[in-house]
């Protein structure tokens, strides 16, 4: 019913997921002081980002910079520029249209041995004389280490950059990767064709490149194997192909991030595999995404299976590939270009069976594909998984989930809930320093992801997709029921009405410039803690949050005694305005610390924190879709119309389930519908933001006003808003 908007939101998830403070938006290219350009054809896909300080830019953070990024090998080039003589802030750079009126055009130089040198070229204009201060050639991760971290540069990588000038007046920088094979090349050459005068040229003195004011053709190439792009029409399923014309911006963005090997998490910093991101995107985009052999859906599931830890079944969170993989291996004294994986997340495992069930059990095309797909030999991307099939790896993951879920089924204690890994402060989507307030036991994983994963393992076993595990057909469902029914209570928080009123009043006095909304609190306030066992000896991290959306979206629980109040409380919190609830003029915020009595909550869950009182677009999508699914369960007793696409796709197989009790409870049903409508009104009102991953606000002139997260100060002790 709202799938178009969901695609819109997901243009979001794709295009700028994880782009955070420095958002990179394929739909509207300018996010000043950043300008983004994308180029993709059958030979090369690359992005260019040009940064030029604005009059009000903080010059210690923003300087003139050109980045070129390739999904292939997660590689890139980054160059910083400074004025030759003038003060910081006087040098401006921009990409101008070259003769064909496009800022970027492709470069393709065939090679007799190995992959061609491919990349992009464009014309860069300097308004005054400039010098190149720092060049980084190689991996995007090396560039991130420099721009996000404490300005780390590795001599082994920096010293390998070779500078040269040639007879035609050009200057080149070239670096051979640690694999001894791949080369990154960046060339500048005076652009004589432009209408503006070119004063001088580019010169090289030892390792210093200097430019006179004027226009320069730059060309950036690598000779690393490119990925296989999925064209816009190949990313969408047949029924949704019209979106390629009606929403061409969003589908182009999605296509730039879609390859038959994997879907990428976001430009430019995350132009590579991220497990959770691609699985959530696929679950939300399911109605429009392509399926079948060579489809986007299979690319995602295959990429996840390929990267599973064969020993313990953990899903890979982020991959390390290209030059950074060789570098990382070298740090371990291993000479190898093999990719690596980060397995620190505790949530990603559970999305996999859910996604596999949606496709291989419920989609008729997926059912037909299952045997062949799971027989795929692993190891072509991740050599650690050689000699296994994707089916073997899927089974290893399911075994892990059954193993981890078992103890709680036997004894429902807090100790038996899923914890973050001992040496980690992150483990699920709120993966920043203060994302969970130091909590060790996350709400989303325990109350929604584990039971949803178990339900799907049951369905997959019954469908014969987990060979030799027929017994899980009933066992996994039995486990799931225990997790569904017995986890919410651990996180439950109830605040009596009068206390809740006084909490929002005192919160507003110190931390919020708008109305305290205490009059909106006409009941006790109930919500579920975002995690257990937080910092400062807090047994529950009492931050109201949006993670109810995981249960709404992933589970059809049948325990009415629990479901009715759960949906009711969730709806009330969505409807109420911050600080009484989660709603604001700029959308639903993901965390509200106003009900936490301890002052640390308000100090750390701020408008400047990555997972603070800020709005995340995919959370809006999942909450809206989740409420829609729950309301859809009432269709027998109300005239709520179920989505016709999902009926066609065979998702109605659960229609025989009894109608939940909340459907006939007028006040609860009306409340949930009202929350759903309020949420959609707010999503529509904030359409301009939807292609960002996250945004924040300031309260000014009587309303919440959108502000990029990056311009607000981060909470104490956190370097950047991503908190990583
Ligand atoms: C000028 O820019 C350089 C980086 O190019 C930076 O290190 C320096 O702090 C800036 N100076 C001022 C005064 O902002
Ligand atoms: C480049 O060309 C496009 C399309 O023709 C035009 O919209 C844009 O204004 C031009 N940009 C510059 C900097 O000239
Ligand atoms: C690259 O060559 C150097 C020098 O010969 C060698 O030490 C290194 O192991 C090689 N690296 C790889 C990944 O083969
Ligand atoms: C320079 O401009 C002329 C005329 O606009 C065009 O024919 C020629 O191809 C251009 N040269 C380059 C290198 O783009
Ligand atoms: C060139 O620069 C390097 C480091 O930047 C320096 O060590 C070397 O002495 C310089 N060479 C000359 C000839 O100036
Ligand atoms: C895979 O899991 C095993 C068992 O937990 C662990 O020892 C190993 O380090 C993991 N592999 C990687 C690459 O992290
Ligand atoms: C790698 O080798 C160096 C030199 O032999 C040694 O100091 C270092 O501890 C080794 N690192 C690892 C991770 O084994
Ligand atoms: C699975 O793939 C192998 C080759 O990788 C093939 O020999 C075998 O017949 C396939 N099995 C099925 C059931 O398709
Ligand atoms: C795969 O099997 C081959 C041959 O049996 C063996 O040499 C190789 O070590 C195995 N690779 C892995 C990753 O187990
Ligand atoms: C469950 O765990 C608790 C705490 O560890 C323990 O006291 C209790 O005996 C256990 N119950 C069962 C049935 O194992
Ligand atoms: C919150 O911030 C304070 C400093 O203001 C810090 O000491 C504390 O550990 C933080 N607590 C949490 C729960 O993040
Ligand atoms: C829940 O039930 C609805 C139909 O009422 C169905 O569309 C949806 O797929 C079901 N979800 C799960 C996780 O079973």
């Amino acid at each position: 019913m709202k799938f178009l908007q969901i695609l819109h939101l997901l243009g979001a998830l794709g295009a700028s997921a994880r782009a955070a403070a420095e958002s990179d938006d394929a739909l509207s290219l300018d996010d000043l002081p950043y300008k983004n350009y994308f180029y993709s054809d059958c030979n090369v896909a690359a992005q260019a980002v040009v940064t030029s300080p604005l009059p009000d830019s903080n010059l210690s953070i923003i300087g003139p910079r050109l980045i070129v990024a390739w999904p292939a090998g997660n590689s890139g080039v980054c160059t910083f520029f400074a004025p030759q003589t003038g003060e910081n802030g006087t040098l401006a750079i921009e990409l101008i249209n070259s003769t064909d009126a496009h800022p970027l055009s492709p470069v393709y130089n065939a090679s007799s041995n190995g992959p061609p040198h491919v990349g992009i070229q464009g014309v860069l204009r300097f308004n005054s004389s400039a010098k190149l201060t720092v060049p980084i050639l190689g991996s995007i991760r090396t560039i991130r280490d420099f721009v996000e971290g404490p300005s780390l540069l590795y001599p082994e990588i920096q010293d390998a950059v070779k500078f040269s000038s040639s007879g035609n007046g050009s200057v080149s920088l070239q670096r051979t990767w640690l694999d001894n094979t791949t080369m990154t090349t960046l060339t500048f050459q005076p652009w004589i064709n432009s209408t503006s005068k070119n004063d001088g040229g580019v010169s090289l003195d030892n390792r210093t490149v200097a430019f006179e004011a004027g226009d320069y053709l730059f060309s950036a190439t690598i000779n690393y194997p490119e990925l296989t792009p999925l064209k816009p029409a190949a990313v969408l399923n047949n029924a949704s192909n019209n979106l390629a014309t009606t929403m061409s911006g969003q589908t182009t963005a999605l296509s730039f991030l879609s390859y038959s090997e994997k879907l990428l998490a976001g430009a430019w910093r995350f132009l590579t595999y991220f497990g959770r991101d691609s699985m959530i995107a696929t679950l939300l985009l399911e109605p429009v995404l392509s399926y079948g052999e060579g489809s986007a859906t299979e690319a995602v599931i295959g990429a996840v299976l390929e990267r599973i830890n064969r020993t313990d079944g953990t899903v890979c969170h982020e991959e390390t590939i290209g030059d950074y993989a060789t570098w990382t291996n070298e740090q371990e004294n291993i000479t190898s270009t093999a990719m690596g994986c980060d397995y620190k997340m505790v949530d990603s495992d559970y999305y996999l069976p859910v996604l596999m069930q949606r496709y291989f059990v419920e989609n008729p095309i997926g059912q037909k594909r299952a045997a062949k797909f799971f027989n795929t030999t692993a190891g072509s991307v991740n050599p650690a998984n050689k000699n296994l099939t994707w089916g073997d790896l899927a089974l290893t993951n399911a075994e892990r989930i059954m193993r981890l879920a078992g103890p709680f089924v036997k004894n429902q204690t807090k100790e038996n809930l899923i914890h973050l890994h001992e040496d980690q402060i992150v483990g699920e989507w709120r993966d920043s320093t203060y994302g969970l307030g130091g909590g060790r036991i996350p709400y989303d994983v325990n109350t929604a992801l584990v039971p949803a994963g178990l339900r799907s393992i049951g369905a997959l076993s019954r469908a014969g997709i987990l060979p030799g595990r027929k017994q899980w057909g009933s066992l996994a469902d039995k486990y799931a029921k225990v997790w569904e029914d017995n986890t919410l209570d651990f996180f439950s928080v109830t605040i009596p009405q009068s206390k809740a009123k006084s909490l929002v009043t005192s919160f507003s006095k110190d931390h919020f410039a708008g109305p305290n909304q205490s009059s909106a609190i006409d009941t006790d306030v109930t919500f579920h803690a975002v995690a257990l066992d937080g910092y400062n000896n807090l047994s529950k991290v009492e931050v109201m949050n949006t993670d109810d959306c995981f249960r709404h979206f992933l589970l059809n629980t049948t325990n009415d005694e629990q479901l009715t109040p759960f949906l009711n409380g969730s709806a009330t919190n969505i409807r109420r305005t911050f600080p009484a609830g989660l709603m604001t003029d700029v959308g639903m915020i993901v965390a509200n610390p106003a009900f936490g009595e301890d002052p640390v909550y308000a100090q750390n869950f701020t408008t400047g924190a990555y997972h603070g009182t800020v709005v995340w677009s995919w959370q809006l999508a999942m909450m809206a879709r989740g409420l829609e699914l729950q309301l859809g369960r009432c269709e027998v007793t109300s005239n709520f119309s179920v989505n016709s696409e999902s009926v066609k796709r065979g998702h109605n197989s659960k229609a025989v389930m009894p109608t939940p009790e909340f459907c006939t409870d007028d006040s609860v049903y009306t409340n949930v519908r009202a929350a759903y409508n309020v949420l959609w009104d707010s999503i529509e009102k904030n359409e301009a933001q939807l292609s960002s991953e996250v945004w924040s606000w300031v309260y000014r002139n009587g309303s919440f006003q959108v502000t990029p997260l990056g311009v607000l100060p981060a909470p104490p002790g956190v370097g950047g808003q991503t908190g990583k």
Side-chain angles (χ1 to χ4, degrees):
M1 137 184 222
K2 293 280 193 183
F3 288 134
L4 295 192
Q5 285 89 342
I6 285 179
L7 175 67
H8 196 139
L9 289 170
L10 262 294
L13 227 197
S16 15
R18 309 196 139 260
E22 194 174 318
S23 95
D24 299 284
D25 176 359
L27 313 178
S28 83
L29 293 174
D30 293 354
D31 187 13
L32 297 175
Y34 308 102
K35 285 189 168 201
N36 292 275
Y37 305 86
F38 296 89
Y39 185 87
S40 141
D41 65 21
C42 56
N43 294 316
V44 60
Q47 179 189 8
V49 191
V50 176
T51 312
S52 190
L54 301 171
D56 62 352
S57 293
N58 175 348
L59 297 176
S60 63
I61 304 175
I62 307 292
R65 184 186 79 184
L66 169 70
I67 287 180
V68 177
W70 291 262
N74 198 22
S75 43
V77 165
C78 175
T79 48
F80 288 88
F81 301 97
Q84 260 186 45
T85 48
E87 294 187 352
N88 277 5
T90 58
L91 174 65
I93 62 171
E94 65 174 324
L95 274 195
I96 62 163
N97 291 332
S98 43
T99 45
D100 58 1
H102 289 295
L104 293 182
S105 52
V107 181
Y108 181 92
N109 295 317
S111 160
S112 56
N113 56 339
H117 294 255
V118 297
I120 49 173
Q121 61 179 10
V123 177
L124 192 63
R125 174 170 293 173
F126 294 88
N127 73 334
S128 70
S129 63
K131 60 185 183 223
L132 199 170
T133 54
V134 181
I136 305 172
L137 278 67
S139 170
I140 285 294
R141 291 280 290 279
T142 314
I143 297 170
R144 273 171 55 194
D145 282 354
F146 182 74
V147 301
E148 291 177 354
S151 296
L152 286 176
L153 286 175
Y154 311 108
E156 190 184 356
I157 289 170
Q158 292 311 106
D159 296 349
V161 177
K162 297 218 164 17
F163 293 74
S164 62
S165 50
S166 84
N168 67 0
S170 69
V171 168
S172 291
L173 286 69
Q174 194 165 61
R175 180 178 157 252
T176 302
W177 293 11
L178 298 169
D179 64 7
N180 298 325
T181 307
T182 311
M183 235 157 13
T184 305
T185 309
L186 174 66
T187 303
F188 292 96
Q189 178 180 351
W191 178 246
I192 39 161
N193 250 23
S194 75
T195 49
S196 88
K197 181 162 148 289
N198 191 306
D199 290 339
V202 49
S203 58
L204 179 67
D205 177 12
N206 193 3
R207 294 168 68 85
T208 302
V209 184
F211 302 84
E212 294 305 319
D215 298 346
Y216 296 86
L217 179 71
F218 76 88
S219 149
T221 61
I222 53 170
N223 59 334
Y224 192 82
E226 289 283 305
L227 300 169
T228 315
L230 292 176
K231 296 221 164 59
V235 178
L236 301 168
N237 60 41
N238 291 342
S240 311
N241 244 319
N242 63 317
L243 298 178
T245 28
T246 58
M247 303 186 78
S248 70
Q250 285 92 329
T251 44
T252 305
L254 190 59
S255 167
F256 182 80
L257 297 165
S258 303
Y259 299 83
S260 52
E261 295 87 353
K262 60 191 168 191
L263 263 56
L264 315 179
W268 56 272
R269 304 168 191 217
F270 306 103
L271 274 180
T272 199
Y273 166 94
F274 278 80
R276 175 198 311 122
D277 301 59
S278 57
M279 288 191 283
I280 292 178
T282 307
L283 286 170
L284 286 169
L285 277 174
E286 188 195 7
V288 300
L289 219 53
S290 62
Y291 42 85
E293 191 169 4
S295 64
T297 302
E298 291 196 8
V300 170
I301 301 174
V304 174
L305 292 171
E306 175 76 18
R307 291 162 179 79
I308 282 178
N309 180 332
R310 66 187 296 157
T311 312
D312 66 8
T314 309
V315 163
C316 172
H317 169 53
E318 178 182 5
E319 68 181 355
T320 303
I321 58 172
D323 198 39
Y324 206 78
T326 318
W327 165 258
T328 308
N329 291 331
E330 234 175 59
Q331 305 313 300
E332 302 287 320
N333 296 332
I334 299 166
T335 302
S336 165
T337 59
M339 64 161 287
C341 259
D342 162 355
Y343 293 107
K344 67 170 171 279
M345 294 297 165
V346 302
D347 66 335
S348 304
D349 302 335
Y350 306 98
Y351 292 106
L352 177 60
V354 174
L355 193 54
M356 293 200 315
Q357 182 202 350
R358 297 287 161 91
Y359 182 53
F360 294 110
V361 179
E362 294 179 11
N363 183 322
I365 304 290
Q367 288 167 8
K368 289 205 193 78
R369 286 280 303 150
K372 216 169 159 204
F373 181 89
F374 287 109
N375 192 33
T376 306
T377 308
S380 65
V381 172
N382 181 18
N385 282 340
K386 279 206 171 111
N387 303 349
L388 298 175
T389 62
W390 284 353
D392 297 331
L393 290 159
L395 188 57
T396 313
N397 166 259
E399 276 166 350
R400 171 180 182 80
I401 293 173
M402 293 299 285
R403 186 169 67 244
L404 296 182
F408 186 79
V409 173
K410 291 203 190 71
N411 193 353
Q412 290 91 55
T413 64
K414 189 166 111 177
E415 293 67 40
N416 288 339
L417 290 169
I418 304 296
H419 290 54
L420 304 189
H421 292 310
E422 262 169 26
D423 54 345
Q424 298 293 337
I425 57 161
V426 297
E428 43 77 88
W429 83 270
R430 296 177 189 259
D431 57 352
S432 59
T433 313
Y434 295 120
L436 292 176
R440 306 306 305 166
I441 307 176
Y443 171 54
D444 60 342
V445 175
N446 284 288
T447 63
L449 297 177
V450 173
L454 289 166
R455 288 278 175 205
S456 294
I457 288 171
L460 288 161
S461 308
R462 290 191 293 276
I465 284 170
L466 299 171
R469 296 301 186 283
K470 276 275 176 210
Q471 76 279 13
W472 287 352
S474 55
L475 189 65
D477 273 343
K478 202 183 106 200
Y479 276 27
K481 178 86 176 133
V482 174
W483 280 85
E484 282 171 4
D485 289 351
N486 298 284
T487 46
L488 277 181
D489 283 351
F490 286 95
F491 298 85
S492 170
V493 176
T494 301
I495 298 173
Q497 184 181 356
S498 63
K499 185 166 177 201
K501 280 172 178 280
S502 83
L503 283 171
V504 293
T505 307
S506 64
F507 174 84
S508 300
K509 232 182 272 148
D510 297 335
H511 302 286
F512 180 56
N516 63 33
Q517 301 291 344
S518 66
S519 61
I521 299 179
D522 51 5
T523 56
D524 292 352
V525 168
T526 61
F527 61 92
H528 292 83
V530 74
L532 306 181
D533 290 355
Y535 293 136
N536 312 87
N537 298 317
L538 297 165
S539 64
K540 287 178 188 169
V541 180
E542 299 197 354
V543 169
M544 187 187 277
N545 63 83
T546 45
D547 287 0
D548 296 350
C549 69
F550 292 96
R551 258 179 103 96
H552 302 330
F553 182 62
L554 294 170
L555 290 171
N556 284 330
T557 59
T558 52
N559 179 343
D560 286 318
E561 216 178 299
Q562 195 170 61
L563 178 63
T564 304
F566 178 69
L567 277 169
N568 198 39
S570 186
T572 301
N573 296 337
I574 292 168
R575 278 194 306 98
R576 284 182 185 153
T577 301
F578 178 79
L582 299 169
M583 194 47 66
T584 72
D585 301 317
V586 302
M588 175 182 68
I589 56 173
V590 301
N592 172 2
F595 298 101
E597 237 180 322
D598 195 309
V600 297
Y601 291 115
Q603 273 159 25
N604 295 307
F605 289 90
T606 66
T607 53
Y610 198 31
H611 301 96
T613 52
V614 299
V615 186
W616 279 67
S617 55
W618 73 263
Q619 283 274 293
L620 301 178
M622 189 179 281
M623 185 66 91
R625 184 77 180 116
L627 291 177
E628 183 178 315
L629 284 167
Q630 294 303 320
L631 288 165
R633 300 172 71 188
C634 305
E635 73 202 61
V636 180
T637 49
S638 79
N639 50 14
F640 187 89
S641 73
V642 76
N643 172 267
S644 60
E645 179 76 10
S646 64
V647 175
K648 258 187 276 161
R649 303 261 313 272
H651 285 203
N652 217 22
S653 49
K654 305 273 187 338
V656 289
M657 289 203 319
T659 306
E661 195 181 77
F662 83 88
C663 300
T664 50
D665 181 325
D666 272 355
S667 91
V668 175
Y669 180 79
T670 312
N671 195 27
V672 177
R673 263 213 93 120
Y676 175 74
N677 288 328
V678 165
L679 179 57
W680 266 115
D681 288 347
S682 141
I683 290 171
E684 277 162 5
K685 194 171 139 206
N686 287 284
E687 199 170 328
Q689 267 58 253
L690 296 180
S691 40
S692 297
E693 176 198 39
V694 57
W695 59 93
S696 189
W697 51 272
V698 290
Y699 196 88
R700 198 188 289 140
N701 303 332
S703 69
F704 297 82
Q705 297 182 9
V706 172
T707 304
L709 180 61
V711 308
L712 297 171
V718 180
Q721 277 76 8
T722 57
K724 286 188 281 193

